[in-house]
Structures are given as structure tokens and as C-alpha cells.
Amino acid sequence: MPPEKAQDRPVPKAADVMDGLMQPRPLTIAHILERVERLYAHKSVVTAGAERLTYAEVAGHTRRLATVLDALGVPVGARVGTFASNTRRHLEVYLGVPATKRVLHSINIRLPAEHLEYIVEHAEDDVVFVDRGLLPRIWPIAGRLPLVRYWVVLPDGSDAEIPADSRILDYDELISAADPFAGSFEDTFVLADENLASGLCYTSGTTGPPKGVLYSHRSTVLHCLGTLAAGLIGLCESDVVLPIVPMFHANAWGLPYGAMMAGASLVLPGASADPVHLLTLMEAERVTVAGAVPTVWTSLVPGLRAHDLSATRFLLGGGSAVPPALSERYRAAIGVPITHSWGMTEVSPVGVIGGTRTQHRDADADEQVAVRAAQGQPLPLVNVRIADVETGRELPRDGVAVGELQVAGPWVAGGYYRVDAAGSFTGDGWLRTGDLATIDADGYLRLVDRVKDLIKSGGEWISSVELEAALASHPDVVEVAVIARPDPRWMERPVAYVVLRDGSAATADELLSHITPMVAKWWLPDEFFFMVSLPKTGTGKLSKVALRDAARIT
């Protein structure tokens, strides 16, 4: 009999479409705990260079924390706040809270009192875990937070006074007195819904009240796997990972969860961001991967050559644009540039990773610098596009068209916690980021500016990001921020706020001469303000809002 021809076969009916026969096991953070406990028990977690525990010990404490939460009567689904630095105890809460079906709410420790009060009240936190050294920062508002039943103090070496109050408990005492949870966290979650909430982070609130982004177990695990993707961040078992970015900043960009999933050792810096402390940790622990905002990377530059950072293979920068000059200073000093990333709290937060790819191997040095200056390509499962701000029409990926960046994916927020923010999303469900960008034919994203930070002068747009990058390339410039100042003739004109390196005598004229070949003449700032330091947001980014307020610019 001749073989059946394709055209003779019956067309499958809709009813013939089949489901796969794979096990419907949910993606949960409990699996991360189970994995690190079983496979990488011998690997280490170092805090501030002063404490070294194994993952087996961390998992043991986490099992005890599970029974502590039960004993305290914390309901399933309740929000559990953390007001803490990057430490081993905070890591245990990172694991124990979501692994027992509660919701981890990491709170920005640098927020003003009014924002702290709003966030804790809005989240309806049931219990708050707080570093002893940070207790004096938050305790003054405790009386205005009646929903918080307990404040659990995390010992951190501080001798800060602890008020006499029955609601204040000691973490180490609770853990040492508790029986460990005896079951399998993974088995506990076999029938659980992977879409259960696992974590809650609030945006910085620069354009209104902070908004809560509610992560799920599924989104967190998928984001975690994204950080393991080879050729991007590519966390692996042989890595030693240092999350300098705070654990309250969108789960430290997923680095703690990603490191544990991969089996990498963790180095946590504690409460100090002192450059010598951080560089000493990187040298002593042979750190291979570290992540921080550009202001932190800038602070480390003077000490780079005084420390052996030869183990370093990957430095991640995010939170705001990394000036190309800063990245190249690291490449010159230690052979590793700072790799750009782009993301936001609503994107869990990593959506795009930079760096060169195989098509750039034969590019000359200047072309490679230009590629490294881009934010990069989206992680697997993340989709990005740009759209006309006024019409919403999708714009071409030609590296020229500039539009609002929109993003979609399984770890991208589809709404905000207890807030109606329909204008933040498109009709087809994409997140509107408020960033202006280009996307080229290779899918490389390049940020142009925030919509609110663009400067419109004489009917033409000026990118504060590009102007800042040009100024930052001057060897004496440590930090720079460019904002718009109202102008009766041109509508707006750029002004620059600059921090120079110690001992520099650079003048405004010298900086103008430096950037004149790099930008259009009408982009040149009308005025320079030289400052000792620039104001920062709670996550360490430059605060243009504070600069505008100080200059009475609205």
C-alpha cells in the first residue's frame, strides 16, 4: 500500500486538540528552599564578612521560622513585613514567609515616616521583622499601625535600645525555642496554586502614593530562571553572588532567589555600603557576580586597583542608566565592564540585559562601547515594544524611532495591589513604563529618557540621559544630573548639577568644552551647579524630584 499523502489525512477537529501529559506541579518558592537544602547544603551564606553559615543551617532556621509563624497565629495569605538590610536572617524570612503561603512584604528602609506609615497600613502587615539597628527608625510610628500585632527584632550587632513592649519579640530567641517544620515544603505545595501571592513591593512613589506590586510564586520562579539564562546574567553553581542592591529593592533584583536556585554561594553586605567594606568583601570572598545601582559603582571606583577583584566575571548595573564612561572605567581597571540592565519593580524587576553578542565580535572598540551602552535585549519570555506616546501606535524597530517603552511577560505586573491604575496599562494588557526608548533590528533597547525627564526646548526634545552620559565621561565628574528649568523664550532649558572628584578644579567652561563635540549646540546646559553630593531616592538612585523641589522647579 502506498504511503498516505498529507493531503489525504483528515483535518483534526477542535475536539481532537490534546493537553500534554506532564505533571501539573506548581512553580513555588518552596522548591527553591527544597533544592538548596538537598543539593547545596554545604555552600555558604556570608553576612558582612563577620558570619558564615551553610545553606543547611539557613534551611534549618527557615524550618523553625515556619513553626514560629504558625505559633504567632499569622494567617495564610497574611502580609509579613521586613524592614531590614541584606543579612542571613533576612534571607531566612525571604524563604520562610512565602514557603508557608504568607506574603513577604519588603519595606524600603530609606523612606520617610509618612511613606512608611502609608505602606505598612496599606499592605495591612500582620507582623514586621525589623533589624535591631533600624528599630528606632520605624518604632515612632508603631502606635499608628494597629494592624501590626508583632514586631520581631533581627539581631544585627547593634545595641539600639529595644522598648519594653509585649509586641516586640526577639528573632533568635523565637528560632532557638521553636521546633523545626518536619515536612517537605515541596510536598506541601504540590496541590497549591502557583498564582498565589508570594511577595509585595511598593514603587518609590515619585509620581504619587507608592503603588504595591504583588508577585506570585509562578512569576518569582520564572524570573529566577530568567536570571540563570546562559549568556545573560547566567548565574551558576560555581558563582559567588553579592547583592549590593538592597533586598527591599524588588527582591534585590532576584539575585538571592537566583543564587539559591543555581546553588551559588551568597555574600550579603549587611547594613554598610562603605566602599572599602564592599571592595574588601569582594576580594576576600572571591565574588564572581555583584549587582548595584550606578551611584554605588561610582563610589567604588577610587579603590578598584587597590583590591584583587580577579574572580569577578559579571557586574550588573540597574535602577538608572549606567554612564558608558563608568562602565569603561571598570573594564579598564579590572577587565570587566558594568553590564547594563533595565527593569522596574513592576517587572520583578529584570526585563532586559545588555552586553555584546556574537555579531559584535568583529566590531571595533568604539562600536563595542556603543553596544555596551545600550540597556540590551529582553530576557526569554519578556516582550518589549515602543509606541507613539500620543496615538499608541507601535513604532518600528529601527534604532531611530523613539516611543514609550511597553513590556509584557509572565513576571510583569498586570495591575497594582488595591489601586485602580488603568492608565498604567494598554488596552491589550501591556505595562506602560513611562520610559522613552528606541529598539533596533537586533532587539537592543536603548533608553532615551523618562517621559517626565525629557526637556523640551524651542519645540525640540533634549534627552537628559544622553546629556548626563556626555558630562559623566569627563574624568573629574563623579555624579551628574540634568533637569529642565522653565524659560520664557524656549519653554525649558537644561541645567546641570555636578559632583566633582576631590581636588578637582574643573569649571563650567571646561565641562562645556568637553561635551560640545558630543551633543548639539542647543543641548548645552545654560548653567552648572557644583555640589558636594546629589540627593538620592530610597533605592539609591539620583532624585531629580528633590533637585526640582530645591530649585523650585515644577
Side-chain angles (χ1 to χ4, degrees), residues 79-86 90 94 104-113 115-121 123-131 134 137-138 141 145 148 151 200-203 246-251 538-539:
R79 273 68 65 205
V80 176
T82 63
F83 195 69
S85 302
N86 294 20
H90 198 177
Y94 250 54
L104 176 78
H105 172 208
S106 52
I107 305 166
N108 188 332
I109 66 176
R110 299 174 186 144
L111 290 178
H115 279 185
L116 287 176
E117 183 177 347
Y118 171 83
I119 285 172
V120 175
E121 184 177 31
E124 298 180 331
D125 289 333
D126 184 60
V127 176
V128 175
F129 289 76
V130 53
D131 283 349
L134 294 173
R137 297 264 307 275
I138 199 169
I141 66 170
L145 300 169
V148 180
W151 300 82
L200 177 64
C201 287
Y202 279 76
T203 63
M247 290 171 72
F248 62 71
H249 189 183
N251 293 337
T539 52

Side-chain angles (χ1 to χ4, degrees), residues 380-447:
L381 307 182
V382 174
N383 293 317
V384 296
R385 69 186 185 191
I386 54 173
D388 185 277
V389 175
E390 309 235 339
T391 67
R393 178 177 58 87
E394 185 171 357
L395 298 175
R397 297 167 179 253
D398 58 8
V400 177
V402 175
E404 182 187 33
L405 176 62
Q406 299 175 354
V407 59
W411 59 78
V412 179
Y416 293 101
Y417 178 59
R418 297 175 57 203
V419 170
D420 181 10
S424 298
F425 301 90
T426 65
D428 55 351
W430 289 57
L431 174 70
R432 300 181 61 186
T433 69
D435 285 325
L436 290 174
T438 66
I439 301 176
D440 68 18
D442 288 330
Y444 271 79
L445 170 73
R446 294 177 187 269
L447 287 186

Side-chain angles (χ1 to χ4, degrees), residues 17 19 31 38 100 128 133 147 157 167 224 251 257 324 345 378 382 425 438 463 486 502 516 529 533:
V17 175
D19 289 336
H31 174 73
R38 287 182 173 175
T100 57
V128 175
L147 294 180
R167 295 174 297 166
C224 179
N251 293 337
Y257 288 137
T345 304
V382 174
F425 301 90
T438 66
S463 166
D502 290 343
T516 294
F529 296 93
S533 63

Side-chain angles (χ1 to χ4, degrees), residues 214-262:
L214 196 59
Y215 308 124
S216 67
H217 282 267
R218 177 177 183 269
S219 72
T220 301
V221 171
L222 289 173
H223 179 270
C224 179
L225 292 172
T227 66
L228 272 60
L232 298 172
I233 299 177
L235 297 179
C236 62
E237 186 272 339
S238 61
D239 276 324
V240 179
V241 180
L242 171 63
I244 302 174
V245 55
M247 290 171 72
F248 62 71
H249 189 183
N251 293 337
W253 301 347
L255 290 174
Y257 288 137
M260 289 186 288
M261 177 75 88

Side-chain angles (χ1 to χ4, degrees), residues 4-58:
E4 181 183 17
K5 297 180 181 179
Q7 61 266 28
D8 296 331
R9 295 174 190 159
V11 177
K13 300 176 183 177
D16 294 330
V17 175
M18 296 182 290
D19 289 336
L21 296 177
M22 298 294 101
Q23 297 179 12
R25 298 175 68 85
L27 308 177
T28 74
I29 293 172
H31 174 73
I32 299 175
L33 174 59
E34 194 86 6
R35 179 176 173 83
V36 79
E37 184 179 42
R38 287 182 173 175
L39 304 183
Y40 308 115
H42 61 289
K43 303 296 285 289
S44 63
V45 178
V46 175
T47 300
E51 178 194 70
R52 184 183 303 272
L53 271 70
T54 64
Y55 276 133
E57 292 170 304
V58 168

Side-chain angles (χ1 to χ4, degrees), residues 225-236 239 289 313-314 316 339-340 350 352-361 371 375-380 444:
L225 292 172
T227 66
L228 272 60
L232 298 172
I233 299 177
L235 297 179
C236 62
D239 276 324
V289 175
R313 72 164 184 85
F314 191 87
L316 185 65
T339 296
H340 249 127
V350 184
V352 170
I353 292 292
T356 57
R357 308 288 187 254
T358 54
Q359 66 264 39
H360 306 120
R361 286 175 178 168
V371 172
Q375 276 59 47
Q377 296 174 310
L379 268 63
Y444 271 79

